[in-house]
């Protein structure tokens, strides 16, 4: 049910993205909406995104897929916070803490 184009991600990349990243994007967006913020009004602002995340074995499961070239960003825990920050066009810190 993940909508990659909504998050400016190619469908091929979304196929091999760690589910942690897909869920974080969806829940991060939902949290902004539930808090009453209009994401388009937050663009270009200074805001920080901090997330606790652990290593996943997902990349090992998809290691034999044909879309291997798309899997780097979608399976790197350091990218997790930056994806949402980039989508919102925030200029503050984007930190993924390995938990």
């Amino acid at each position: 049910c993940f909508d990659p184009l909504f998050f400016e991600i190619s469908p091929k990349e979304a196929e091999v993205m760690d589910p942690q990243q897909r869920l974080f994007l969806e829940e991060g967006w939902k949290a902004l909406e539930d808090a009453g913020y209009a994401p388009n009004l937050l663009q270009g602002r200074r805001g920080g995104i901090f997330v606790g995340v652990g290593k996943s074995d997902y990349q090992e499961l998809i290691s034999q897929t044909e879309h291997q070239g798309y899997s780097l960003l979608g399976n790197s825990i350091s990218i997790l916070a930056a994806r949402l920050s980039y989508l919102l066009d925030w200029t503050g810190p984007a930190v993924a803490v390995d938990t």
Side-chain angles (χ1 to χ4, degrees), residues 1-2 6 9 24 26-27 39 43 47 51 58 63 73 75 80 82 84 86 89 91:
C1 296
F2 181 75
F6 178 82
I9 297 169
F24 182 72
E26 290 174 332
E27 293 303 314
Q43 289 181 322
V51 60
Y58 190 71
S63 64
L73 295 178
N75 288 279
L80 189 59
L84 191 54
Y86 177 80
D89 189 29
T91 60

Side-chain angles (χ1 to χ4, degrees), residues 2-43:
F2 181 75
D3 182 1
L5 298 178
F6 178 82
F7 293 104
E8 300 176 14
I9 297 169
S10 77
K12 285 185 181 182
E13 183 179 352
E15 284 180 37
V16 293
M17 256 176 98
D18 187 326
Q20 290 183 104
Q21 288 203 20
R22 293 190 296 258
L23 287 170
F24 182 72
L25 286 170
E26 290 174 332
E27 293 303 314
W29 194 268
K30 183 180 171 186
L32 288 172
E33 288 179 333
D34 288 349
Y37 292 110
N40 61 325
L41 298 178
L42 297 174
Q43 289 181 322

Side-chain angles (χ1 to χ4, degrees), residues 70-86:
Y70 290 94
S71 70
L72 177 65
L73 295 178
N75 288 279
S76 173
I77 63 172
S78 63
I79 298 296
L80 189 59
R83 280 197 182 274
L84 191 54
S85 183
Y86 177 80

